[in-house]
């Protein structure tokens, strides 16, 4: 607990800077070059303000400071109050994320009650006014709005009240305060510009300075330097002055010198470098550095030994209303202490390190900057690693500079900060300040924040507050008070590991510090345990209680293991948790994950006993097994564990205990064999559990023979050979220990072979790989092989696959170069007879595959190939035959193998293609395969016509006619030709089939017979047929669509039309007959038939209309009428034949189709001719006018619409054209104003009044040139004629001039002249005064102006009004029914090309 402010010292003299451990950085990482000749103030003020890119450099480490305690009011930071994780409530177990950052409450926010009470009392009782400024050193001084300065000691007692209300009435409010380093002098700056100096020992006024700066401006800052006779001040005019105090013969005086004039750029913040007592002798202090922040840049100058500018640095982009901030701090870098200047304006904090070299030169080194998402109004160092910022929303943020991490956020709204806006606006002197400075002053609170030795004081309107860093214990205790135990442990662990930020109060060597933190963490663990047991819900569901402890126990285990205190976990904490049954169960279950991850390898005997009992009683046997195989065997009761494992089928755990606990590798195998041997011997199917057991047994044997421990780890090296020999001896036992009379010999090998032959042989193969020079192992290897042959050969219990697998295994072993095995070759012949028995149809594929594997091994396995081939053919082993034919290069016989093998018949095409395409085969071999393929071509086409066609197209092109002649089935021929004549990928366009035209004609005939619907597509896509013959074929098969298409291609449009018209008439007749039939029109069958007939008529009509539409483009009027009128008559004639119940619907359909014809023909036939033709028809001519009223009105509507559209279009065209030409004329005739009076190439002024004939060219961009200069620079870019040259502005468009890029592509700029004006000086005769006249060239639309006109048209960014109107008209057409407009696609009869109104750049 901290003491009260009345009895404790606010500031401690011992709280000075102390060096602690720092990390090393690269001291040469900087961007600013060495300054040999520093610039002057004038040169800095005259240079341009260029933006600099942000820089990122490796950060440096900094110093730490100790702080004293003051009266603390508990504050929960935003960072610490959100440290609880509600997502954990949904989790089964809570684990500790050591990477999660927990900072807790970093700052202690204390109210200075004594000072706050005195401020309020002084305002009420003596009318001192509201507080305006504060400064802290050995004492605290507070300035008021009525000109008083209240001085408080470290116990918050009021020592002095300096000034009077009369002084305040004359000088105005106190606007700035400063105390020198020995707390003997106080400087007060006032709102009306005066400065006073007071003796803090006796309260005596020593100086009143009224002429240090221009009158009429307020004092914004006044600061002592390290030299007590030197101070600096900054007024509201933006100027900075040096104040030198003198005392000669008892007379006190002050000399003022202007360091920076506000007329060159207003300074609104100054900060002299003041060294702490430990660094008063630092070399950098001899220069008396002063940092100044103007509205645009930072300057660092040296006041001693002479005035010198050391550095200038611009801000990043920021809001004009942002307040510049400056703050100095001494930092240790590579055991050297140097000052760092932190500055900001807006949201970016930047750092500059000032370093003095041995030569006396000062280097400025950029450090890494960081960005915040807020506007900073206050910036202070609280120690050399930590900054405290206040933003414009009065949110205080504690930032760790090395990591740029925000440690805590507090709300200062309750402080009610005092702002210095009145002084920045200089209201007391009439407000004569610039708008920029007044805008910055809106957020200025410089005099309300003061930092000193790790403490920051904030001045409110009625109170004063102090911020200090909490020590590490206090930060942990704050979290404990809020019952955030997990966060407290995480924070303490970060102190333990040295990763915490803003650490205060940890001293000594690392071991000692870790010990102190460890003791605190143990204390927290006990508190957490007691809290968890106390807060456990006594009633309710068991799941709620379990979840409660799942949030506690993993945390306890984690931190005990991190602290390497398992004794604490298993003794004190477990004994306390075991009092609660639920907590005990959760604890034991939580240990599993730590054991499996090998974080916990040894358990005490009581814990292990409880673990076994709990897991067994709750059925957590899998978890128990996972734990056992990771635990140290010495902590286990072996007999109890083995019994539990065997009863619950925990075979992995049982094997692990036998192996690790007793070095017994045979007993586990005996136990497992005893389970799986009986069912295998009796031929029963194994259960799932027995299968798992057998697989474990195989893996276990494999591990033992390979020197690996089961289920994980390695066998000790001294036991590897012994274990391997024991396992071999066990496997080759003649009988088991408890054998019966009917037990077969070698029962263990029998069992493994029956369980999984292939895997057992794989285990042996892997084991034999390791046998090199081990004589004992080689003997075992031969013995195992002999037993395998004895057991499996001539044994009907084994399948061909198993026997074949054995001999494949043996063949592979025999082929090894270092083989020592001996196997009787007669056995292989015996196996061959066994596998190739023709009378055995069972497992045919399996036997063939086994024999193929055996042959592919090769080596010593040599069979009589003739005998083998005969056996394979009898057994129908076609893959074996292929293998043998391949060796003899009899490739044509392989084709027979594929054709006879139903499983691989489809692969024959790939085989043939690869063999005839790939190199490596002789011509004779390819010829034999080719002949074989031709011999079986009919069979291949029957099997797959498409792949057969590909084969013929690529390899058998010359034999196409022969193949076609051999195909007797027309359907088969049709399929083959269809695939053969299809275009295919990979075929060469220059390779053509022989007699290709005949093939296409044959295919056309077959298409007409077998697939009529594909004829038209074939005719449209193919170009290889003859028109006359094709027409005869389609006529022969009555294919009207194909005939019409061919006639149209020949140019006989009328003939094609007659064909389609006859088809249409036939379909109309069927429709009329269907309509006139009796029956209910609502029956489903009748409706479907009627819809089918209508769809057929509509399809035929569309084809006929399309033909007429295509042909009418190239026909005269009589020829068009000869097409359209018969079609119209054909559609109108059937309407008078409609009768019956369905007649009304059919009549409506026919009228709609007739309207469709009229709409289409209206584009080519005049409307009067159409109306006359309609009136001549009996259906319309003899009826009333009402019957054709809709038709005629539709025509009239169409006419009116098109007339309106034409008039509107013409109006738009005329308006846009006039507008564009008017603007173009205005641009062409506009006068040009030169920007300079000199040529932009030679930089010589053109002669206005001298007698000169020089010619001047002025461009629209305003750049003038001499004609001769442009000619020399080759700026002629085009020739419209031989007489007229076209120029481009050299500075705007050339790669030589200006700042433009190298692009010469015309862009939307004013780089070229629309009206090139040649200015030629004219002079009078007779010695008269020469006047300069402008003689304009003739204003003609030359080539460049035509290009400009085109560019103006292209500048318009949106669609023209005509295009919008056209789109609307198109939409209107599609929505409007009955209007006589063309509906068939076709080219537009005309296209309007309008120039839309351009957008001109003024």
């Amino acid at each position: 607990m901290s003491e009260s402010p009345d009895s404790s010292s606010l500031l401690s003299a011992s709280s000075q800077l102390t060096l602690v451990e720092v990390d090393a950085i690269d001291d040469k990482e900087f961007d600013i070059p060495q300054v040999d000749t520093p610039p002057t103030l004038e040169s800095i003020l005259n240079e341009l303000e260029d933006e600099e890119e942000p820089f990122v450099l490796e950060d440096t480490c900094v110093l730490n400071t100790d702080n004293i305690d003051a009266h603390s009011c508990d504050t929960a930071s935003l960072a610490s109050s959100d440290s609880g994780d509600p997502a954990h409530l949904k989790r089964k177990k809570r684990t500790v994320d050591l990477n999660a950052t927990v900072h807790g409450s970093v700052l202690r926010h204390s109210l200075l009650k004594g000072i706050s009470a005195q401020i309020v009392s002084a305002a009420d009782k003596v009318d001192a006014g509201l507080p305006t400024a504060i400064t802290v050193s050995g004492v605290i001084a507070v300035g008021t709005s009525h000109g008083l300065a209240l001085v408080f000691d470290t116990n918050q007692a009021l020592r002095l009240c300096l000034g009077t209300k009369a002084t305040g009435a004359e000088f105005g409010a106190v606007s700035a305060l400063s105390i020198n380093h020995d707390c003997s002098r106080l400087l007060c700056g006032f709102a009306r510009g005066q400065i006073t100096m007071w003796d803090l020992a006796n309260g005596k006024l020593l100086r009143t300075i009224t002429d240090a700066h221009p009158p009429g401006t307020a004092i914004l800052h006044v600061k002592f330097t390290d030299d007590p006779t030197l101070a600096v001040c900054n007024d509201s005019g933006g100027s900075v002055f040096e104040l030198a105090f003198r005392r000669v013969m008892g007379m006190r005086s002050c000399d003022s010198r202007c360091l920076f004039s506000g007329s060159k750029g207003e300074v609104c913040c100054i900060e002299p470098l003041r060294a702490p007592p430990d660094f008063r002798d630092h070399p950098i202090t001899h220069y008396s550095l002063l940092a100044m922040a103007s509205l645009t840049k930072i300057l660092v100058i040296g006041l001693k030994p002479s005035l010198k500018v050391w550095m200038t640095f611009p801000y990043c982009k920021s809001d004009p209303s942002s307040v510049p901030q400056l703050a100095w701090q001494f930092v240790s870098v590579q055991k050297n202490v140097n000052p760092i200047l932190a500055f900001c304006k807006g949201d970016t904090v930047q750092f500059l390190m000032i370093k003095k070299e041995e030569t006396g030169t000062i280097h400025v080194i950029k450090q890494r900057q960081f960005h915040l998402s807020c506007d900073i109004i206050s910036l202070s160092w609280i120690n050399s690693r930590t900054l405290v910022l206040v933003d414009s929303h009065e949110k205080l943020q504690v930032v760790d500079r090395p990591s740029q991490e925000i440690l805590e956020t507090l709300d200062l709204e309750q402080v009610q900060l005092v702002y210095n806006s009145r002084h920045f606006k200089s209201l007391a002197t009439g407000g004569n300040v610039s708008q920029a400075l007044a805008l910055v002053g809106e957020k200025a609170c410089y005099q309300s924040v003061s930092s000193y030795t790790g403490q920051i004081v904030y001045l409110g309107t009625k109170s004063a507050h102090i911020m200090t860093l909490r020590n590490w214990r206090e930060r942990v205790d704050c979290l404990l008070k809020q019952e955030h135990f997990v966060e407290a442990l995480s924070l303490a662990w970060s102190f333990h590991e040295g990763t915490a930020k803003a650490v205060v109060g940890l001293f000594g060597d690392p071991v000692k510090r870790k010990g102190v933190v460890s003791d605190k963490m143990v204390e927290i663990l006990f508190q957490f345990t007691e809290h968890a047991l106390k807060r456990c819900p006594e009633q309710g569901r068991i799941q709620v209680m379990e979840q409660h402890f799942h949030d506690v126990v993993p945390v306890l285990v984690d931190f005990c293991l991190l602290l390497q205190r398992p004794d604490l976990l298993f003794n004190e904490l477990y004994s306390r948790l075991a009092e609660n049954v639920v907590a005990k169960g959760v604890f034991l279950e939580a240990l599993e994950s730590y054991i499996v991850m090998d974080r916990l390898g040894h358990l005490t005997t009581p814990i292990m006993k409880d673990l076994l009992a709990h897991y067994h009683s709750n059925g957590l046997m899998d978890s128990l097994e996972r734990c056992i195989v990771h635990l140290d065997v010495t902590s286990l009761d072996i007999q109890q564990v083995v019994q539990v494992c065997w009863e619950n089928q925990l075979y992995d755990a049982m094997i692990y205990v036998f192996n690790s606990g007793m070095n017994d590798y045979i007993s586990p195998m005996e136990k497992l064999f005893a389970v799986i041997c009986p069912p295998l011997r009796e031929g029963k199917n194994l259960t799932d559990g027995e299968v798992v057991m057998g697989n474990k047994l195989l893996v276990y044997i494999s591990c033992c023979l390979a020197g690996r421990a089961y289920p994980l780890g390695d066998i000790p090296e001294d036991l590897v050979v012994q274990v391997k020999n024991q396992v071999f001896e066990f496997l080759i036992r003649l009988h088991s220990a408890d054998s019966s009379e009917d037990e077969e010999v070698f029962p263990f090998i029998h069992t493994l072979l029956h369980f999984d032959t292939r895997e057992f042989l794989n285990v042996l193969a892997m084991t034999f790989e390791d046998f090199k020079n081990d004589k004992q192992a080689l003997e075992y290897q031969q013995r195992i092989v002999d037993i395998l042959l004895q057991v499996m050969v001539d044994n009907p219990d084994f399948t061909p696959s198993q026997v074949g697998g054995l001999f494949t295994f043996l063949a592979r072993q025999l082929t090894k170069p270092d083989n020592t095995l001996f196997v009787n070759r007669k056995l292989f012949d015996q196996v061959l007879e066994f596998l190739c028995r023709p009378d055995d149809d069972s497992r045919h594929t399996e036997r063939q595959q086994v024999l193929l594997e055996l042959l592919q091994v090769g080596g010593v396995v040599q069979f009589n190939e003739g005998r083998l081939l005969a056996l394979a053919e009898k057994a129908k082993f076609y893959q074996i035959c292929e293998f043998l034919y391949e060796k003899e290069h009899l490739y044509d016989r392989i084709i027979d193998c594929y054709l006879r093998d139903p499983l691989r018949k489809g692969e024959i095409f790939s085989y043939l293609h690869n063999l005839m395409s790939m190199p490596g085969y002789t011509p004779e071999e390819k010829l034999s395969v080719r002949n074989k393929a031709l011999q079986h071509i009919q069979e291949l086409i029957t099997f797959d016509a498409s792949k057969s066609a590909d084969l013929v197209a690529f390899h058998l092109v010359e034999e196409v006619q022969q193949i076609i002649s051999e195909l007797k089935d027309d359907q088969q021929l049709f399929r083959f030709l269809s695939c053969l004549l299809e275009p295919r990928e990979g075929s060469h366009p220059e390779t053509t089939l022989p007699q290709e035209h005949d093939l296409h004609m044959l295919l056309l005939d077959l298409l007409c017979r077998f697939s009529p619907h594909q004829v038209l597509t074939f005719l449209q896509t193919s170009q290889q047929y003859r028109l006359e013959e094709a027409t005869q074929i389609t006529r022969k098969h009555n294919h009207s669509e194909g005939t019409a298409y061919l006639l149209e291609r020949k140019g006989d449009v009328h003939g094609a039309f007659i064909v389609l018209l006859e088809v249409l008439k036939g379909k109309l007749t069927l429709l009329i007959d269907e309509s006139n039939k009796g029956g209910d029109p609502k029956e489903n069958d009748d409706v479907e038939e009627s819809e089918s007939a209508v769809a057929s008529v509509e399809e035929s009509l569309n084809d006929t209309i399309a033909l007429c539409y295509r042909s009418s483009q190239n026909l005269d009027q009589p020829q068009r009428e000869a097409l359209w009128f018969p079609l119209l008559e054909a559609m109108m004639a059937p309407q008078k034949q409609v009768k019956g119940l369905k007649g009304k619907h059919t009549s409506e359909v026919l009228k709609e189709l007739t309207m469709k014809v009229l709409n289409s023909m209206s584009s080519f036939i005049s409307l009067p001719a159409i109306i006359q033709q309609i009136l001549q028809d009996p259906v319309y001519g003899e009826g009333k006018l009402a019957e054709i009223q809709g038709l005629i009105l539709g025509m009239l509507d169409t006419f009116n619409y098109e007339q309106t559209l034409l008039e509107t279009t013409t109006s738009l065209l005329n308006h846009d054209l006039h507008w564009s030409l008017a603007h173009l004329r205005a641009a062409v005739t506009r006068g040009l104003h030169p920007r300079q009076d000199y040529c932009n190439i030679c930089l010589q002024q053109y002669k206005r009044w001298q007698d000169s004939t020089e010619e001047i060219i002025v461009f629209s961009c305003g750049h003038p040139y001499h004609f001769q200069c442009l000619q020399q620079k080759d700026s002629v870019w085009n020739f419209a004629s031989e007489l007229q040259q076209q120029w481009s502005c050299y500075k705007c468009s050339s790669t030589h001039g200006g700042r433009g890029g190298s692009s010469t592509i015309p862009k939307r700029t004013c780089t070229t002249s629309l009206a090139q004006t040649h200015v030629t000086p004219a002079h009078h005769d007779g010695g008269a005064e020469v006047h300069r006249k402008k003689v304009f060239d003739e204003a003609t639309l030359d080539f460049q102006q035509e290009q400009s006109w085109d560019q103006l048209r292209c500048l318009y960014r949106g669609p023209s009004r005509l295009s919008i109107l056209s789109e609307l008209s198109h939409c209107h057409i599609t929505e409007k029914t009955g209007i006589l407009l063309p509906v068939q696609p076709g080219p537009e009869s005309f296209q309007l090309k309008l120039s839309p109104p351009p957008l001109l750049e003024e």
Side-chain angles (χ1 to χ4, degrees), residues 863-879:
F863 295 108
N864 186 327
E865 293 187 359
R867 180 169 172 269
L868 175 61
L869 182 59
L871 290 173
E873 288 179 346
K874 287 182 181 180
K876 298 181 180 180
F877 287 173
Y878 297 114
Q879 293 187 45

mmCIF file of all heavy atoms in Angstrom, residues 863-879:
data_model
loop_
_atom_site.group_PDB
_atom_site.id
_atom_site.type_symbol
_atom_site.label_atom_id
_atom_site.label_comp_id
_atom_site.label_asym_id
_atom_site.label_seq_id
_atom_site.Cartn_x
_atom_site.Cartn_y
_atom_site.Cartn_z
ATOM 1 N N PHE A 863 12.913 -69.683 -66.750
ATOM 2 C CA PHE A 863 11.978 -70.732 -67.152
ATOM 3 C C PHE A 863 12.227 -71.088 -68.619
ATOM 4 O O PHE A 863 12.750 -70.284 -69.395
ATOM 5 C CB PHE A 863 10.524 -70.283 -66.985
ATOM 6 C CG PHE A 863 10.141 -70.027 -65.559
ATOM 7 C CD1 PHE A 863 9.941 -68.728 -65.097
ATOM 8 C CD2 PHE A 863 9.988 -71.075 -64.667
ATOM 9 C CE1 PHE A 863 9.595 -68.485 -63.797
ATOM 10 C CE2 PHE A 863 9.630 -70.830 -63.345
ATOM 11 C CZ PHE A 863 9.434 -69.549 -62.908
ATOM 12 N N ASN A 864 11.797 -72.273 -69.019
ATOM 13 C CA ASN A 864 11.765 -72.653 -70.419
ATOM 14 C C ASN A 864 10.660 -71.860 -71.092
ATOM 15 O O ASN A 864 9.473 -72.087 -70.832
ATOM 16 C CB ASN A 864 11.514 -74.166 -70.535
ATOM 17 C CG ASN A 864 11.607 -74.654 -71.974
ATOM 18 O OD1 ASN A 864 11.256 -73.925 -72.907
ATOM 19 N ND2 ASN A 864 12.066 -75.870 -72.155
ATOM 20 N N GLU A 865 11.045 -70.890 -71.942
ATOM 21 C CA GLU A 865 10.058 -69.940 -72.460
ATOM 22 C C GLU A 865 9.043 -70.630 -73.359
ATOM 23 O O GLU A 865 7.864 -70.266 -73.372
ATOM 24 C CB GLU A 865 10.775 -68.816 -73.227
ATOM 25 C CG GLU A 865 11.611 -67.936 -72.319
ATOM 26 C CD GLU A 865 12.176 -66.749 -73.057
ATOM 27 O OE1 GLU A 865 11.916 -66.640 -74.280
ATOM 28 O OE2 GLU A 865 12.866 -65.925 -72.424
ATOM 29 N N GLY A 866 9.457 -71.615 -74.134
ATOM 30 C CA GLY A 866 8.496 -72.319 -74.977
ATOM 31 C C GLY A 866 7.439 -73.029 -74.153
ATOM 32 O O GLY A 866 6.233 -72.935 -74.432
ATOM 33 N N ARG A 867 7.907 -73.713 -73.120
ATOM 34 C CA ARG A 867 6.954 -74.390 -72.228
ATOM 35 C C ARG A 867 6.071 -73.390 -71.488
ATOM 36 O O ARG A 867 4.862 -73.580 -71.344
ATOM 37 C CB ARG A 867 7.745 -75.239 -71.239
ATOM 38 C CG ARG A 867 6.879 -76.016 -70.242
ATOM 39 C CD ARG A 867 7.748 -77.024 -69.501
ATOM 40 N NE ARG A 867 7.002 -77.627 -68.433
ATOM 41 C CZ ARG A 867 6.941 -77.184 -67.170
ATOM 42 N NH1 ARG A 867 7.628 -76.092 -66.865
ATOM 43 N NH2 ARG A 867 6.236 -77.802 -66.251
ATOM 44 N N LEU A 868 6.698 -72.270 -71.069
ATOM 45 C CA LEU A 868 5.931 -71.243 -70.359
ATOM 46 C C LEU A 868 4.864 -70.633 -71.262
ATOM 47 O O LEU A 868 3.724 -70.398 -70.840
ATOM 48 C CB LEU A 868 6.884 -70.153 -69.846
ATOM 49 C CG LEU A 868 6.243 -68.946 -69.171
ATOM 50 C CD1 LEU A 868 5.452 -69.379 -67.941
ATOM 51 C CD2 LEU A 868 7.304 -67.926 -68.757
ATOM 52 N N LEU A 869 5.202 -70.409 -72.549
ATOM 53 C CA LEU A 869 4.240 -69.820 -73.477
ATOM 54 C C LEU A 869 3.069 -70.770 -73.719
ATOM 55 O O LEU A 869 1.908 -70.350 -73.763
ATOM 56 C CB LEU A 869 4.932 -69.474 -74.797
ATOM 57 C CG LEU A 869 4.071 -68.793 -75.864
ATOM 58 C CD1 LEU A 869 3.510 -67.483 -75.328
ATOM 59 C CD2 LEU A 869 4.877 -68.546 -77.130
ATOM 60 N N ALA A 870 3.385 -72.044 -73.854
ATOM 61 C CA ALA A 870 2.308 -73.019 -74.053
ATOM 62 C C ALA A 870 1.391 -73.071 -72.846
ATOM 63 O O ALA A 870 0.142 -73.096 -72.972
ATOM 64 C CB ALA A 870 2.915 -74.399 -74.337
ATOM 65 N N LEU A 871 1.977 -73.074 -71.647
ATOM 66 C CA LEU A 871 1.152 -73.092 -70.431
ATOM 67 C C LEU A 871 0.303 -71.821 -70.328
ATOM 68 O O LEU A 871 -0.871 -71.863 -69.936
ATOM 69 C CB LEU A 871 2.056 -73.228 -69.203
ATOM 70 C CG LEU A 871 2.751 -74.581 -69.008
ATOM 71 C CD1 LEU A 871 3.738 -74.504 -67.843
ATOM 72 C CD2 LEU A 871 1.718 -75.687 -68.746
ATOM 73 N N ALA A 872 0.891 -70.662 -70.660
ATOM 74 C CA ALA A 872 0.156 -69.402 -70.557
ATOM 75 C C ALA A 872 -1.003 -69.353 -71.543
ATOM 76 O O ALA A 872 -2.088 -68.846 -71.221
ATOM 77 C CB ALA A 872 1.104 -68.226 -70.788
ATOM 78 N N GLU A 873 -0.797 -69.847 -72.764
ATOM 79 C CA GLU A 873 -1.893 -69.837 -73.745
ATOM 80 C C GLU A 873 -3.030 -70.750 -73.306
ATOM 81 O O GLU A 873 -4.201 -70.429 -73.480
ATOM 82 C CB GLU A 873 -1.348 -70.244 -75.109
ATOM 83 C CG GLU A 873 -0.466 -69.175 -75.762
ATOM 84 C CD GLU A 873 0.076 -69.642 -77.107
ATOM 85 O OE1 GLU A 873 -0.014 -70.859 -77.385
ATOM 86 O OE2 GLU A 873 0.590 -68.783 -77.851
ATOM 87 N N LYS A 874 -2.664 -71.911 -72.742
ATOM 88 C CA LYS A 874 -3.718 -72.800 -72.261
ATOM 89 C C LYS A 874 -4.491 -72.167 -71.106
ATOM 90 O O LYS A 874 -5.701 -72.306 -71.010
ATOM 91 C CB LYS A 874 -3.103 -74.126 -71.803
ATOM 92 C CG LYS A 874 -2.634 -75.028 -72.949
ATOM 93 C CD LYS A 874 -2.086 -76.332 -72.403
ATOM 94 C CE LYS A 874 -1.595 -77.245 -73.540
ATOM 95 N NZ LYS A 874 -1.050 -78.523 -73.012
ATOM 96 N N ALA A 875 -3.757 -71.476 -70.230
ATOM 97 C CA ALA A 875 -4.414 -70.852 -69.078
ATOM 98 C C ALA A 875 -5.019 -69.499 -69.412
ATOM 99 O O ALA A 875 -5.591 -68.845 -68.536
ATOM 100 C CB ALA A 875 -3.397 -70.689 -67.945
ATOM 101 N N LYS A 876 -4.892 -69.050 -70.670
ATOM 102 C CA LYS A 876 -5.403 -67.751 -71.118
ATOM 103 C C LYS A 876 -4.774 -66.599 -70.326
ATOM 104 O O LYS A 876 -5.442 -65.631 -69.978
ATOM 105 C CB LYS A 876 -6.927 -67.689 -71.015
ATOM 106 C CG LYS A 876 -7.619 -68.717 -71.888
ATOM 107 C CD LYS A 876 -9.133 -68.606 -71.775
ATOM 108 C CE LYS A 876 -9.821 -69.652 -72.657
ATOM 109 N NZ LYS A 876 -11.304 -69.559 -72.563
ATOM 110 N N PHE A 877 -3.473 -66.758 -70.067
ATOM 111 C CA PHE A 877 -2.729 -65.692 -69.411
ATOM 112 C C PHE A 877 -2.153 -64.786 -70.501
ATOM 113 O O PHE A 877 -0.984 -64.908 -70.898
ATOM 114 C CB PHE A 877 -1.599 -66.260 -68.546
ATOM 115 C CG PHE A 877 -2.053 -66.918 -67.280
ATOM 116 C CD1 PHE A 877 -1.171 -67.595 -66.459
ATOM 117 C CD2 PHE A 877 -3.387 -66.853 -66.878
ATOM 118 C CE1 PHE A 877 -1.580 -68.196 -65.286
ATOM 119 C CE2 PHE A 877 -3.800 -67.452 -65.707
ATOM 120 C CZ PHE A 877 -2.910 -68.135 -64.918
ATOM 121 N N TYR A 878 -2.997 -63.872 -71.021
ATOM 122 C CA TYR A 878 -2.574 -63.084 -72.174
ATOM 123 C C TYR A 878 -1.495 -62.064 -71.821
ATOM 124 O O TYR A 878 -0.694 -61.673 -72.674
ATOM 125 C CB TYR A 878 -3.794 -62.388 -72.789
ATOM 126 C CG TYR A 878 -4.823 -63.360 -73.312
ATOM 127 C CD1 TYR A 878 -6.085 -63.457 -72.745
ATOM 128 C CD2 TYR A 878 -4.522 -64.216 -74.369
ATOM 129 C CE1 TYR A 878 -7.032 -64.358 -73.210
ATOM 130 C CE2 TYR A 878 -5.452 -65.123 -74.848
ATOM 131 C CZ TYR A 878 -6.711 -65.195 -74.258
ATOM 132 O OH TYR A 878 -7.615 -66.091 -74.715
ATOM 133 N N GLN A 879 -1.476 -61.604 -70.591
ATOM 134 C CA GLN A 879 -0.410 -60.686 -70.201
ATOM 135 C C GLN A 879 0.941 -61.398 -70.162
ATOM 136 O O GLN A 879 1.973 -60.804 -70.498
ATOM 137 C CB GLN A 879 -0.714 -60.078 -68.828
ATOM 138 C CG GLN A 879 -1.918 -59.146 -68.828
ATOM 139 C CD GLN A 879 -2.086 -58.446 -67.497
ATOM 140 O OE1 GLN A 879 -1.126 -57.950 -66.935
ATOM 141 N NE2 GLN A 879 -3.323 -58.413 -67.006
#
